[in-house]
Amino acid sequence: MFVFEEPASCLFSLLAFISLCYGVGSWLRQGKSNPKAWSRYPYRLVFAISAVISAGSFLSSFFFHKHETWYNERSDYFFANAFVVFHLVATIVRVFSIHSKWLQGLILASGTGVWVRFMWWMLNVRFSYSWAVKLAGSLAVPVVLLWIIWGILP
């Protein structure tokens, strides 16, 4: 029960989850203190979905690195890629200041389609660790570049 196969990875995942919980709690307290501004904030749905996917990713990573099983391995890869795909969606919405709920939904649906296709392929065609890492890495690059550009431009 208290045996950890990869203790450093477990610790990192747990600390990331705790940090996320602190950030979400702070975000919710701000919403409670100013409900009018909260209701008008255009990115609240994107941030809420992001928090849920992040929590799933950090927890599945913790359990996978605690004890590797068939279920834990797949859960870790699926949540990790959902994390990267959705953060690309959230980055596009935020960097390009997309306030339209309809357009946000369209971008979210596109990202969800990519992720569902990935899951289907991994479960039905071939489970490939290298393909999962390639997908995550190739989608992480535009996320980082978009935030760098957003941070540099006035």
Side-chain angles (χ1 to χ4, degrees), residues 15-54:
L15 291 175
F17 179 74
I18 291 168
S19 174
L20 173 72
C21 290
Y22 177 79
V24 168
S26 173
W27 187 56
L28 291 174
R29 282 189 299 280
Q30 287 176 351
K32 225 177 200 180
S33 68
N34 192 351
K36 202 174 248 187
W38 173 265
S39 67
R40 289 191 311 258
Y41 188 63
Y43 309 114
R44 75 177 184 277
L45 178 63
V46 172
F47 286 173
I49 294 170
S50 177
V52 169
I53 291 173
S54 297

Side-chain angles (χ1 to χ4, degrees), residues 103-121:
L103 195 51
Q104 286 181 6
L106 184 63
I107 295 167
L108 175 59
S110 300
T112 302
V114 168
W115 183 71
V116 167
R117 174 74 175 134
F118 160 76
M119 278 187 20
W120 179 86
W121 192 85

Side-chain angles (χ1 to χ4, degrees), residues 68-144:
E68 291 184 22
T69 65
W70 181 91
Y71 176 78
N72 288 349
E73 179 183 34
R74 277 141 181 86
S75 174
D76 183 41
Y77 295 148
F78 293 154
F79 268 110
N81 278 285
F83 178 87
V84 175
V85 168
F86 192 77
H87 280 81
L88 177 60
V89 167
T91 299
I92 290 169
V93 166
R94 182 62 187 99
V95 167
F96 295 106
S97 300
I98 298 171
H99 294 190
S100 163
K101 295 292 181 207
W102 182 84
L103 195 51
Q104 286 181 6
L106 184 63
I107 295 167
L108 175 59
S110 300
T112 302
V114 168
W115 183 71
V116 167
R117 174 74 175 134
F118 160 76
M119 278 187 20
W120 179 86
W121 192 85
M122 292 284 280
L123 288 173
N124 297 304
V125 177
R126 186 173 143 239
F127 188 85
S128 170
Y129 171 78
S130 63
W131 197 76
V133 171
K134 287 175 191 172
L135 176 66
S138 65
L139 294 178
V141 170
V143 170
V144 172

